[in-house]
Amino acid sequence: MKLKNRILPAMLFFGVVAFSSCDDKEKDALQPTFEQGAISHVMADSSEVTSYTYAGKELSQINYYDQETGELESFEKFVRDSKGNIIKKTTHSGANHALLSDEDFRYNEKGQLTQTTTSYYNGSNLEYSAVTTFDYNSKKELKKKTVYEGKDVKSAKLKSYTTYEVLPNGNFGQEKQYVVDSKNKGKLFSTTTYSYDTNQNPFHLHGEPGATSSPNNITAASTLVHASKATYRYTYAYKYDERGYPTSQTTTLPSGETETFTYMYSN
């Protein structure tokens, strides 16, 4: 099952943005209530594409809209434990609220995310399951994410893994993605290098576990696909408010085309 491509800010899930062109080539919509100063909407060409709902300071729902029609395309709901950790995320169709996927989160005694298990549905039928595991370095920084096909790591099939380089300021400087061949060996597929500004990424505190968001805003992302030797470069320019938070982001695609997103806050 494939969900429609969503328009997501580079600041939140940089991997999704960096690989969208590579792949092409080779709101329960409640009226949102917002914590003061929190990101509330993402707009593109005056059309709403994303909105965020909070329970107090904690993100509880994300709504995704069709940019052309304005209709709710899908939405994600989050369930948290008593410590505020996300323990489940469900994704639903905007049209009939049917369950598209559910994801369970597991943590270690240090509060670090160690595993997610995701199931994808087509109607009432389970189509695909995947397990993702997370490993950390001595500084408690994410160093590796591994994806398996199946519901249990012991019996699941290893599919891919990604390694991360974290800069001293906490930003993710580089990621390397590996695909696993028939001999269960990882082959380097791509290397992506990121640059940042020094301003606060407004999505960072609301990024779900494992989303690899950075505290600052991405200004450039360059992806080298090793097999083809092709390089895809994205650049990002921002306008900021008096707090130093971005109010808009203009993305320049590898083709030279540009697209602009506007960010709205609850204050």
Side-chain angles (χ1 to χ4, degrees), residues 6-18 38-43 49-50 52 170-172 175 194-208 210-221 234-241 243-251 259-265:
R6 297 169 180 154
I7 300 176
L8 293 176
M11 297 177 289
L12 182 54
F13 302 126
F14 48 71
V16 174
V17 177
I39 188 75
S40 61
H41 294 78
V42 176
M43 313 289 289
V49 293
T50 315
Y52 302 84
N171 291 323
F172 286 88
E175 68 174 41
Y194 302 95
S195 301
Y196 298 86
D197 64 13
T198 58
N199 288 29
Q200 176 68 39
N201 172 1
F203 299 93
H204 179 56
L205 294 178
H206 303 307
E208 68 185 72
T212 60
S213 67
S214 290
N216 300 122
N217 307 304
I218 297 173
T219 56
Y234 294 74
T235 59
Y236 308 93
Y238 303 92
K239 292 181 180 179
Y240 303 93
D241 63 18
R243 301 176 301 170
Y245 276 58
T247 56
S248 71
Q249 175 201 81
T250 298
T251 303
E259 53 187 5
T260 298
F261 301 98
T262 301
Y263 303 101
M264 300 175 63
Y265 299 87

Side-chain angles (χ1 to χ4, degrees), residues 100-260:
L100 301 177
S101 67
D102 63 66
E103 184 174 7
D104 294 311
F105 297 76
R106 185 180 300 176
Y107 302 84
N108 61 19
E109 65 281 356
K110 298 178 181 178
Q112 296 171 320
L113 179 68
T114 56
Q115 182 176 305
T116 63
T117 303
T118 308
S119 299
Y120 299 91
Y121 299 91
N122 184 4
S124 59
N125 298 318
L126 174 65
E127 283 204 335
Y128 181 82
S129 295
V131 175
T132 304
T133 60
F134 303 83
D135 296 291
Y136 303 85
N137 61 24
S138 59
K139 297 180 181 179
K140 300 181 181 181
E141 299 167 336
L142 182 64
K143 69 175 183 179
K144 186 178 182 181
K145 182 189 297 185
T146 306
V147 178
Y148 302 82
E149 180 181 350
K151 274 197 167 185
D152 185 271
V153 172
K154 294 180 181 179
S155 58
K157 182 179 180 182
L158 177 62
K159 300 293 290 185
S160 65
Y161 59 92
T162 304
T163 60
Y164 300 93
E165 172 195 281
V166 182
L167 302 174
N169 60 6
N171 291 323
F172 286 88
Q174 188 176 85
E175 68 174 41
K176 294 184 177 182
Q177 294 195 357
Y178 297 79
V179 293
V180 176
D181 61 21
S182 58
K183 297 181 181 179
N184 222 35
K185 293 184 178 180
K187 182 178 180 180
L188 182 60
F189 172 73
S190 65
T191 299
T192 303
T193 304
Y194 302 95
S195 301
Y196 298 86
D197 64 13
T198 58
N199 288 29
Q200 176 68 39
N201 172 1
F203 299 93
H204 179 56
L205 294 178
H206 303 307
E208 68 185 72
T212 60
S213 67
S214 290
N216 300 122
N217 307 304
I218 297 173
T219 56
S222 182
T223 298
L224 169 63
V225 179
H226 294 275
S228 64
K229 307 298 183 183
T231 298
Y232 301 88
R233 180 173 173 80
Y234 294 74
T235 59
Y236 308 93
Y238 303 92
K239 292 181 180 179
Y240 303 93
D241 63 18
E242 65 280 359
R243 301 176 301 170
Y245 276 58
T247 56
S248 71
Q249 175 201 81
T250 298
T251 303
T252 301
L253 306 175
S255 63
E257 296 179 86
T258 62
E259 53 187 5
T260 298

